[in-house]
Amino acid sequence: EVQLVESGGGLVQPGGSLRLSCAASGFAVSSNYMSWVRQAPGRGLEWVSIIYRGGSTYYPDSARDRFIISRDNSKNTVFLEMNSLRAEDTAVYYCVGGSGSYFDYWGQGTLVTVSS
Amino acid sequence: DIQMTQSPSSLSASVGDRVTITCRASQGINNYLAWFQQRPGKAPKSLIYLASNLQSGVPSKFSGSGSGTDFTLTISSLQPEDFATYYCQQYASFPLTFGGGTKVEIK
């Protein structure tokens, strides 16, 4: 059974940084697509980042130059480093894995709140 | 960026009803389209990929169709557990984008 478990969310001040983790089981992060998708309170889904099997990374404009996705194959874990956080980054962040499609498996999410 | 437009944004239906949700892409995406279900307070769940392929374990009452710019998700006989919000998503090009969602409520 595939499990993706996020951690690292919490309250952070505007301009601050946070690092999210996603521990995978039953699913190899090194040989699949791994992404982060977020959902602001009461809003829809927004893709935040993806790392390919070969290590290439892609971001939307809203995350480029502030967010970095990475992985540790030995720990089967994916990370999202978020810098220069803004109020509009407040959301539940989901770790998502895929093999054929990008978004086959979803974690339960971790809440990030950016507020002073 | 490819814009994904879902309609309707919400609908009311009864148990046993057949429901169809549409999703339109602002440009052609071949069949690189997925559908997700999100129940209140829960994470999204993948239902369909490549427009019409059912994910493992998803009941056959769900079906998807379409290609190019116009797509549909059909639920053949609505059950209580199907009341949720449904999202389409394109993965033909970056940035990956989602539709705004369709909330299916009980009539």
Side-chain angles (χ1 to χ4, degrees), chain A residues 52-111:
Chain A
Y52 272 33
R53 300 159 181 159
S56 300
T57 58
Y58 300 90
Y59 306 88
D61 288 347
S62 60
R64 192 173 296 117
D65 301 328
R66 297 190 304 129
F67 293 3
I68 299 172
I69 187 172
S70 62
R71 68 187 182 211
D72 183 333
N73 295 338
S74 66
K75 296 181 179 178
N76 209 28
T77 299
V78 177
F79 305 98
L80 183 68
E81 183 177 341
M82 303 186 293
N83 302 302
S84 303
L85 284 163
R86 310 162 180 163
E88 54 265 37
D89 295 318
T90 293
V92 174
Y93 284 73
Y94 295 103
C95 175
V96 192
S99 49
S101 144
Y102 288 144
F103 299 154
D104 296 329
Y105 306 104
W106 294 66
Q108 85 289 350
T110 187
L111 176 63

Side-chain angles (χ1 to χ4, degrees), chain A residues 35 37 39 43-47 50 52 58 60-61 94 100-109, chain B residues 1 34 36 38 41-46 48-50 55 87 89 91 94-100:
Chain A
S35 302
V37 173
Q39 186 170 37
R43 305 297 296 274
L45 301 169
E46 180 187 16
W47 167 68
I50 190 169
Y52 272 33
Y58 300 90
D61 288 347
Y94 295 103
S101 144
Y102 288 144
F103 299 154
D104 296 329
Y105 306 104
W106 294 66
Q108 85 289 350
Chain B
D1 297 5
F36 303 91
Q38 186 176 33
K42 300 296 186 182
K45 172 188 173 183
S46 178
I48 287 170
Y49 63 99
L50 283 176
Q55 285 282 7
Y87 295 93
Q89 178 252 331
Y91 52 107
F94 291 116
L96 308 177
T97 47
F98 291 87

